[in-house]
Amino acid sequence: MAIGIESQYNVLFSIGGLDDFIHARNLNSFVLVAECGNVLPVFELSFSCRDSDQIKYFNEGNVLTVSIGPGGDQEADESKLVIVDSKIARQGESSFSITLKGIYNALNYLMKNVTQISDKKSALEVMLDVVSPYFDPWFNNGVSEDSQYWIQGNIPDKSFVNQLWMRMDLTDKSFPVVGIDRDGRFVFKDIKMDLANDPAWTFTQTPAGGSDVMINSNITVSQSTGFMNQLYGYGKEQLINVIETGLSRTEESEASTMLAMTNVINKAAEVEKRQSVPGLIGENVHANYHKSYLHNLIFLTSFSQVEVTCSYVGIYRPIRLLDRVIFKDDSLENRKETMPYWSGEYYITKIAIAISDSKFTTNVTLNREAFDSQKKII
């Protein structure tokens, strides 16, 4: 019998020939975490078992399938998770305590070294070719201006995708973001293109139905403008030397706001642009090979500066990594008004689904580049 409440949430565990092998009374805890960046989802499952014949299934390398959805005839997410750590403890004469840990089932993506030279394609096209054997690609049809022969030099596909991601040229007006979701979707978004669409969800303490998600937890708002901001948040200049001509040029990159309703990013006004390591380009790489790396790194760092964490309980909602959402924090003085300082648009950058003590909780992390207004440039 699946774990859940009718029309609210439904969770089912299967492994090998065992279907729906964990009942609510046997489940201690389950956590499934997916976050942005080129990283695989991870999980931890703790439960008790009285059938000794089932123990043979809980070995390292076996694939656990977890189905999570609203129940009934509605579609559920299916996560294929490989066990990388298994602990089994006997409890008395008739029961076992089992803890399984692991990641999304794409070990070769992390570990298998590959050597190849692509056809002359854009970084986006090559990325799609590389991730498709492992994941379900969800690309929002961005266009990168960076056609070249991309070389994968005896490194895993994950490392190669990192290179493609950071060297991708979506022009100065945009930057690329990626994430691997719990059901194996590889999400790619061209931020500028995505801003033309409506937000997918509204997180609020006073929902009115539809796409509103009720926040029923404490809200934590943090601003991380310290060490990483010192390195990248103030922009950089880089000297580029061109092999064929012997000429050089200076490229500049500096973050700007795209979501927040302000033109100010929290940083010290007197700090000037920093110098980056000089770069060398030739005919074998695209013209903005080095500039794209700096540009993407600076914008990605900037978009991690403001973070909101919240959660909702007792119901499954099909939220996704890199969904753009509206976050409304009600004013303490008037619940019909919102806190303008940090309310507004964000991207979902981390989703943790947890079941513990018969409670189904979804913890969400939201990020953007700045608060909607700054009191001053500090």
Side-chain angles (χ1 to χ4, degrees):
M1 181 178 180
I3 299 167
I5 299 175
E6 184 66 29
S7 299
Q8 294 186 31
Y9 70 93
N10 189 83
V11 182
L12 188 149
F13 298 91
S14 302
I15 188 170
L18 300 178
D19 294 328
D20 194 13
F21 68 93
I22 302 178
H23 295 176
R25 65 180 180 274
N26 305 120
L27 179 66
N28 298 324
S29 64
F30 172 68
V31 179
L32 176 59
V33 181
E35 59 184 308
C36 285
N38 185 23
V39 294
L40 296 181
V42 297
F43 81 95
E44 180 174 317
L45 171 64
S46 175
F47 62 99
S48 61
C49 173
R50 292 182 175 274
D51 187 348
S52 59
D53 290 336
Q54 293 184 1
I55 299 300
K56 61 187 177 184
Y57 291 97
F58 309 134
N59 294 323
E60 179 181 346
N62 284 352
V63 176
L64 173 72
T65 301
V66 183
S67 175
I68 306 174
D73 297 329
Q74 300 184 64
E75 185 177 356
D77 296 333
E78 193 171 86
S79 301
K80 300 288 188 179
L81 309 167
V82 62
I83 300 170
V84 298
D85 183 79
S86 173
K87 293 183 180 179
I88 301 174
R90 182 185 290 275
Q91 294 182 323
E93 296 296 325
S94 60
S95 180
F96 298 89
S97 175
I98 301 168
T99 301
L100 306 177
K101 299 179 183 179
I103 60 177
Y104 185 81
N105 185 28
L107 289 177
N108 281 343
Y109 183 68
L110 299 179
M111 303 173 64
K112 184 179 179 181
N113 287 357
V114 177
T115 300
Q116 66 161 324
I117 301 176
S118 75
D119 295 334
K120 194 168 186 178
K121 294 182 176 181
S122 70
L124 187 56
E125 292 173 310
V126 177
M127 180 184 289
L128 180 60
D129 291 340
V130 173
V131 303
S132 293
Y134 305 101
F135 310 109
D136 182 14
W138 285 64
F139 285 40
N140 75 338
N141 299 321
V143 178
S144 59
E145 305 292 338
D146 45 32
S147 181
Q148 67 170 65
Y149 297 103
W150 295 91
I151 301 174
Q152 182 175 0
N154 195 35
I155 58 174
D157 286 332
K158 179 182 185 296
S159 299
F160 187 41
V161 167
N162 281 339
Q163 293 180 6
L164 296 166
W165 175 24
M166 298 308 296
R167 302 289 180 176
M168 186 177 295
D169 182 12
L170 297 180
T171 77
D172 291 343
K173 303 299 182 181
S174 188
F175 65 98
V177 289
V178 302
I180 303 173
D181 217 335
R182 58 188 177 273
D183 60 351
R185 300 186 188 198
F186 189 101
V187 183
F188 168 90
K189 287 193 173 182
D190 175 325
I191 289 293
K192 182 181 178 181
M193 289 189 64
D194 189 62
L195 293 178
N197 302 319
D198 293 332
W201 305 95
T202 297
F203 287 80
T204 176
Q205 291 131 320
T206 53
S211 61
D212 287 3
V213 177
M214 182 176 181
I215 303 170
N216 42 22
S217 69
N218 291 332
I219 295 167
T220 302
V221 181
S222 59
Q223 191 172 28
S224 303
T225 56
F227 179 71
M228 289 303 292
N229 196 28
Q230 292 290 329
L231 286 177
Y232 300 109
Y234 297 108
K236 283 202 171 186
E237 294 180 344
Q238 184 178 35
L239 181 66
I240 303 295
N241 298 295
V242 183
I243 296 175
E244 284 77 16
T245 65
L247 300 176
S248 61
R249 65 176 187 266
T250 299
E251 301 282 11
E252 298 183 4
S253 294
E254 186 170 9
S256 60
T257 58
M258 300 180 76
L259 287 182
M261 302 298 290
T262 179
N263 293 323
V264 179
I265 290 181
N266 194 17
K267 58 186 181 181
E270 69 273 10
V271 178
E272 298 179 351
K273 290 187 178 71
R274 294 171 178 267
Q275 295 292 325
S276 185
V277 177
L280 195 66
I281 64 170
E283 292 183 350
N284 61 318
V285 296
H286 68 87
N288 292 322
Y289 186 80
H290 294 293
K291 181 182 179 181
S292 295
Y293 179 86
L294 272 184
H295 173 84
N296 294 337
L297 185 60
I298 287 169
F299 270 82
L300 287 166
T301 303
S302 172
F303 259 68
S304 67
Q305 288 187 12
V306 175
E307 180 175 289
V308 174
T309 57
C310 59
S311 64
Y312 56 94
V313 178
I315 189 168
Y316 166 86
R317 302 299 294 269
I319 64 172
R320 296 289 174 193
L321 282 181
L322 294 174
D323 278 352
R324 196 170 95 257
V325 304
I326 296 173
F327 170 74
K328 292 182 178 180
D329 186 16
D330 293 347
S331 169
L332 297 178
E333 291 78 21
N334 186 347
R335 303 297 285 184
K336 294 183 179 180
E337 297 180 356
T338 60
M339 296 287 288
Y341 194 45
W342 51 68
S343 293
E345 293 191 4
Y346 287 80
Y347 277 96
I348 296 177
T349 57
K350 184 176 182 179
I351 302 171
I353 292 175
I355 307 173
S356 181
D357 297 326
S358 300
K359 185 169 70 173
F360 183 90
T361 304
T362 304
N363 301 290
V364 181
T365 301
L366 312 174
N367 282 99
R368 71 178 186 193
E369 73 279 52
F371 291 132
D372 268 352
S373 61
Q374 301 288 350
K375 296 295 184 182
K376 62 177 180 178
I377 301 177
I378 61 173

